[in-house]
Amino acid sequence: MKNLLTFLLLAFLLPLSAQQSLFNAQEIISPEINADRSVTFRVFAPHAHKVELSGDWMPREGWNIVPKIMTKEKDSLWTITIPPLPSELYSYNLIIDGVKTTDPNNVYLIRDVSSIFNVFIVGGGKADNYAVNNVAHGTVAKRWYDSPGNKMKRRMTVYTPAGYENSGKDYPVLYLLHGMGGDEEAWMDLGRTSQIMDNLIAQGKAEPMLVVMTNGNVSQQAAPGQSDKGFYKPTMALPHTMDGQMEKTFGEVLDFISGNYRVKKGKDNTAIAGLSMGGFHTLHISRQYPNTFGYMGLFSAAVMPRSEEMPEFYQNLDESLTRQKENGYHLYWIAMGKTDFLYNEIKKYKKKLDYLHMPYEYYESEGGHIWSNWRDYLTLFVPKLFKRP
């Protein structure tokens, strides 16, 4: 009986103690977006000697961000307020005594390959396209499909527009491909695809459509931690990267979607786009699958594989592009940042398209090989789809 009473007393007191610790904890807001769009960051680090802020809006030296030193205030609270930022989705880390970490006061995180970042949105402009607004929302599903060409089951992400489940209608489809190191979660998490689609459709700027985001790394079943390989550190260096295997087996993705979803048939109702490696895949899939795609989007795309021996699938480029032109299409859209490391590669590719008299539209933005550009490109590209005279 005595042990039982002791147990009951502890069961009563421990939650009270935990709640007391919770309610007595210092209330820290970080980041705090101020009325003028300046942003204040705070972290409680009583034993730290140096705390820095590293954000994707900051200047860089090469590939490396130049961080800002935070100031230690009273009660061991380190703070910094940065100047007003344009409307955008931003990512950042804290660096405490040389160790990069996340902000413990910000629960909003994004994984990019093997790195974790905190994120925040400065609204009142283009970032409103990426926000969850009070509009009808589509459905996002993670689907497994058979891939005999890769000898495994694989996973894709599928967005269906609001009302799909009950409409009974058929819809056009956009296949949206990620870059090197990404996976079937990249366009959803980093690219904010479902938010962009919900908002554009609700505004009447885009046709309701499916968006299919498959995993372009054919050596993977799914995103890290989502397959029977368990938990492992993600890496950008994966087998079968740009060797033709992704393109050769892409028909399995097309077959799964046409067999499991209500989609309109034909190239008039089928689009494909991608960023970086995904733009590379878009270029080569579209030219090797005749009369399949009527709309192509190359976002900061690589053009040819960087290998000493050219894989067979990527040979005969001029002949296949000519065939693609003769088959006909509605839109060949290329977007590139002025400081992107692939800028000259696309410049050279445009000359080839001009030589072949192959129609295309070109959009050039500021900035480089960054998600800020790719979200913008998607927002500009989607309204151009499936709206024919």
Side-chain angles (χ1 to χ4, degrees):
M1 178 61 76
K2 182 178 179 181
N3 289 338
L4 178 59
L5 290 174
T6 301
F7 172 78
L8 291 173
L9 183 61
L10 286 172
F12 176 75
L13 291 176
L14 283 175
L16 288 180
S17 174
Q19 291 178 33
Q20 185 178 22
S21 297
L22 176 64
F23 293 133
N24 288 341
Q26 187 176 9
E27 179 66 22
I28 299 173
I29 298 175
S30 179
E32 182 176 7
I33 302 169
N34 304 307
D36 64 351
R37 293 186 180 178
S38 63
V39 185
T40 300
F41 300 84
R42 304 177 179 93
V43 64
F44 179 67
H47 304 297
H49 296 95
K50 184 180 182 182
V51 179
E52 298 169 285
L53 174 70
S54 175
D56 62 357
W57 63 91
M58 294 178 175
R60 294 174 181 264
E61 290 182 353
W63 288 96
N64 298 316
I65 294 171
V66 181
K68 296 285 187 181
I69 297 176
M70 299 177 69
T71 301
K72 189 175 184 179
E73 306 287 355
K74 63 179 181 179
D75 300 327
S76 298
L77 190 67
W78 296 75
T79 69
I80 187 172
T81 297
I82 62 171
L85 291 173
S87 179
E88 183 56 271
L89 184 150
Y90 296 98
S91 63
Y92 71 99
N93 288 110
L94 299 177
I95 305 172
I96 301 178
D97 288 340
V99 178
K100 183 177 287 188
T101 186
T102 54
D103 185 343
N105 300 294
N106 184 356
V107 300
Y108 303 105
L109 303 168
I110 284 182
R111 177 183 64 85
D112 190 359
V113 191
S114 60
S115 299
I116 301 293
F117 303 90
N118 290 105
V119 293
F120 64 96
I121 291 178
V122 177
K126 71 173 184 177
D128 292 345
N129 292 315
Y130 320 145
V132 178
N133 294 308
N134 187 19
V135 299
H137 301 297
T139 299
V140 178
K142 309 291 185 181
R143 298 296 306 270
W144 289 87
Y145 69 101
D146 290 322
S147 177
N150 294 301
K151 300 179 181 178
M152 66 178 80
K153 287 186 177 294
R154 307 191 72 237
R155 196 174 79 150
M156 65 174 73
T157 301
V158 181
Y159 167 90
T160 50
Y164 170 86
E165 290 82 359
N166 300 317
S167 71
K169 298 190 304 183
D170 294 345
Y171 292 82
V173 57
L174 164 64
Y175 294 89
L176 187 59
L177 310 179
H178 62 78
M180 186 177 293
D183 48 62
E184 76 277 11
E185 296 180 344
W187 264 113
M188 281 299 304
D189 294 343
L190 293 151
R192 306 285 288 185
T193 297
S194 63
Q195 291 85 0
I196 290 173
M197 295 304 303
D198 286 347
N199 293 327
L200 290 176
I201 292 171
Q203 295 163 13
K205 295 180 179 179
E207 295 294 313
M209 68 185 77
L210 275 71
V211 183
V212 178
M213 295 154 277
T214 191
N215 190 317
N217 301 304
V218 292
S219 63
Q220 288 182 321
Q221 294 173 304
Q226 301 297 327
S227 72
D228 59 19
K229 291 185 178 180
F231 296 161
Y232 58 91
K233 185 173 183 178
T235 177
M236 294 185 70
L238 293 168
H240 299 299
T241 297
M242 296 181 171
D243 69 352
Q245 183 65 10
M246 162 64 173
E247 292 89 343
K248 290 175 185 176
T249 59
F250 194 75
E252 299 168 346
V253 176
L254 300 173
D255 291 343
F256 177 82
I257 294 300
S258 63
N260 290 273
Y261 288 88
R262 299 190 313 274
V263 293
K264 292 181 177 180
K265 309 299 182 184
K267 67 182 179 183
D268 290 346
N269 304 296
T270 311
I272 186 169
L275 70 92
S276 192
M277 183 181 76
F280 169 92
H281 289 317
T282 294
L283 189 163
H284 295 288
I285 288 172
S286 66
R287 72 182 178 88
Q288 296 287 15
Y289 285 73
N291 285 321
T292 300
F293 305 99
Y295 303 83
M296 282 68 65
L298 280 61
F299 308 165
S300 307
V303 175
M304 298 302 289
R306 290 171 170 78
S307 55
E308 294 183 4
E309 185 174 340
M310 183 67 66
E312 181 180 357
F313 193 91
Y314 304 121
Q315 298 176 14
N316 303 315
L317 179 63
D318 287 15
E319 293 87 341
S320 60
L321 286 174
T322 299
R323 184 171 63 250
Q324 185 178 13
K325 179 188 72 172
E326 292 171 349
N327 286 335
Y329 52 82
H330 298 290
L331 177 66
Y332 201 100
W333 197 77
I334 302 171
M336 178 61 70
K338 293 179 182 178
T339 58
D340 197 300
F341 73 97
L342 293 172
Y343 184 88
N344 288 331
E345 192 168 342
I346 280 293
K347 185 177 180 181
K348 182 179 178 181
Y349 182 61
K350 285 165 53 191
K351 288 183 178 179
K352 177 180 289 293
L353 296 179
D354 291 336
Y355 173 77
L356 297 173
H357 304 289
M358 188 167 174
Y360 64 90
E361 291 184 19
Y362 179 65
Y363 175 80
E364 190 168 284
S365 68
E366 300 296 330
H369 213 70
I370 51 176
W371 273 104
S372 176
N373 272 343
W374 302 326
R375 288 188 291 267
D376 287 350
Y377 298 163
L378 182 65
T379 305
L380 293 169
F381 178 69
V382 165
K384 296 176 179 289
L385 303 180
F386 316 125
K387 294 183 177 180
R388 301 178 299 280

